[in-house]
Amino acid sequence: MAVSRILATDDGQTAILEAAGLNGVCTDQHLAVVKAFGNTTAYLKDENFIFDLSRLLPDGVSLIVKAAAYRALESHQRITLSELNFGGSGPQDQHSVNIVISPLFSDSADGQQLLILFITNKRKAKDKSLIGPGEMKQLTRQHLAGLERELAEVKNNLEVAYGLINSSNENIQSFNEELQSANEEMHSANEELQSVNEELQTVNREQQQTNAELTESNDDLNNYFRSNINGQLFVDHDLLLKRYSPGAVKLINLRESDIGRSLTHITTNIKLETLVADIKKVMQNGQTVTREAESADGKIYQVMTMPYIRQNTNNADGAIVSFYDISELKKLLVALDISNRSLTESVAAIELSREQVSQSLKKEKQLNVMKGRFVSMASHEFKTPLTAIQLSAELIAKIALELKHPVVKKCTQTIKKAAKNLSNILNDFLSLELLETGRIDPIWSEFDMVQLAADIAEDMQSLSEKEQQINYRHFGRSHLVTLNPSLLKNCIINLISNAIKYSGSDSLIGFSTKITPSYLTILISDNGIGIPKEDQKHLFEAFFRAHNTGNIPGTGLGLNIVMRYIALMNGKIRFKSQVNVGTSFTIILPVKPVGNT
């Protein structure tokens, strides 16, 4: 394909040049052909895909045209090359051609361009810008000088490019190192991901196991509510009924379909108008509310409303309402109240009737006997139900521990503590009665004092506040003593119980024993409220309580009984105390009964 056909265009300027009968090409500043017009086959080689004008021109003309083009670009003037020979090798085949080279300038990114016209000589034309054969050497030298400058510029550019290439090589090497490090990190990350995946599988298995345990716990909770003989119901924070025990049906008109229904829309058979208000109050302040209410059948119930605490938020998310039948207890309290009034009236009659002193004394003795019998009878009669209550509380506590139910656990702890307090009161009254009547005769036996003290410390730790700690230590090599273990155990338990009651929830209770060849020394100390100085002289008196004990429960008999038990074992007890600092009791006993070897 001819060059003219390859580079032919429909451009408007090209069409004008062809219409004018002109033949030539348009090149860039490096003589690369960008456009052709007219018939160029007589001037250019017929080569396909070659656009370098210096290669398309005859060999003898190419160097001259390149030099002239360079000069035209430098001088910004038109250059005419005259009488250049084109054609074959014979004279008859050659023809003379004038070549006109005009620089073109544009604002485009292509830079300078050249318009090169080929004009066949029919007659010798004259032009002021003609370059004759005599000027060819000078033109050639100028072209060579320009080429040298371009070569120097190219060399400089090559040196810059070489520097850039070296810098790029360093960057590539650094990038390769970073890429290798990234690959190693990715490999490590893949291993970690594999490890995490294995851990997730383990967590998934644990979650499945936890779900199974939760299902089992839910079944246990349902069974607990179903088997609870006391009335009990559980509502959420919106007062919607969640669960209830069969015992609650006779007090609240409940059906299975009431689950999920608001308690405000359910009628009750118990006279307690504040039930809903109590539930709201409990959920708001987290405090248990206890009231008494009468049912439609005339029975008296203790209604205990306590918050349902979520362990993860430690906030009340509902309430548990429990109904306890206390009708019999109320009757017993009435009977006790009547007895107390009768005793008060009798004492008043004795004080007011001086004329009947002997008769009153006789009646007083009879009353004391009756009191002793009553205390003895009441102690024994109460011990059986108290034991049942304690055993039931222990059983419920174990179930609550397995169910991880904080409310039930708290209830059982309250029951155990109340039962323990009542048992201690009964024991104190019974012990006092036995001491008053002289019916306690210590029985001596040899036992391991350290083992007894350790067992007591463990038992009392379970009854202490959550953050309280009982720290037991023993000094001395000997462990054996000959005393009355029952009386000694009662004394130690009484003193540790006082330390627990009158100390803060996060206090440390000291308990130590020391055995020498002659004596056993027991030290029990706390950092509690202490005993006011003015009350210390009355501390071992029966029914005396220091005025700073406030609402802390107690009978005032414990220390009196301890002192009398210690005396029965030929020992001594002393104490030191300071208000808001603490109290320490020291018991000193002979390791063997007096008179024994």
Side-chain angles (χ1 to χ4, degrees), residues 3 7 25-35 44 50-57 61-73 81 99-103 110 112-118 143 147 150:
V3 174
L7 300 176
V25 296
C26 184
T27 72
D28 61 11
Q29 58 187 349
H30 302 295
L31 294 183
V33 179
V34 294
K35 293 180 183 179
L44 301 179
I50 295 177
F51 302 97
D52 186 355
L53 183 62
S54 60
R55 294 175 60 187
L56 295 173
L57 289 170
V61 178
S62 175
L63 182 60
I64 298 172
V65 171
K66 287 176 68 176
Y70 180 78
R71 182 177 177 184
L73 289 172
L81 301 176
I99 298 177
V100 179
I101 303 173
S102 300
D110 295 337
Q112 294 178 333
Q113 293 185 343
L114 293 169
L115 177 64
I116 301 174
L117 301 178
F118 302 102
H143 177 61
L147 289 177
E150 288 180 2

Side-chain angles (χ1 to χ4, degrees), residues 19 97 121 144 156 169 231 270 373 383 386 499 568:
V97 177
N121 257 341
L144 290 174
N156 183 55
N169 288 336
I270 193 168
R373 291 176 181 174
K383 276 189 174 297
L386 275 177
L568 285 174

Side-chain angles (χ1 to χ4, degrees), residues 348-447:
I350 291 171
E351 292 178 352
L352 295 174
S353 304
R354 292 184 179 182
E355 296 177 359
Q356 301 176 350
V357 173
S358 59
Q359 185 179 357
S360 298
L361 289 174
K362 185 178 180 180
K363 288 183 178 179
E364 185 178 355
K365 289 180 181 180
Q366 292 175 350
L367 286 173
N368 286 334
V369 172
M370 291 175 62
K371 184 181 72 173
R373 291 176 181 174
F374 173 78
V375 170
S376 179
M377 178 191 68
S379 298
H380 287 92
E381 290 297 321
F382 274 107
K383 276 189 174 297
T384 300
L386 275 177
T387 302
I389 290 173
Q390 289 176 324
L391 290 175
S392 299
E394 290 289 342
L395 180 59
I396 293 173
K398 290 180 180 180
I399 295 174
L401 183 62
E402 295 174 356
L403 295 178
K404 297 182 180 179
H405 199 301
V407 176
V408 177
K409 180 180 179 181
K410 184 177 179 182
C411 290
T412 55
Q413 289 175 346
T414 303
I415 294 171
K416 288 163 63 178
K417 187 176 292 185
K420 184 66 177 177
N421 289 337
L422 186 55
S423 178
N424 290 338
I425 292 171
L426 292 175
N427 288 335
D428 288 346
F429 277 105
L430 184 58
S431 298
L432 182 64
E433 177 62 19
L434 294 175
L435 288 168
E436 292 287 349
T437 57
R439 287 186 287 168
I440 295 181
D441 186 14
I443 299 174
W444 311 100
S445 64
E446 186 180 68
F447 60 94

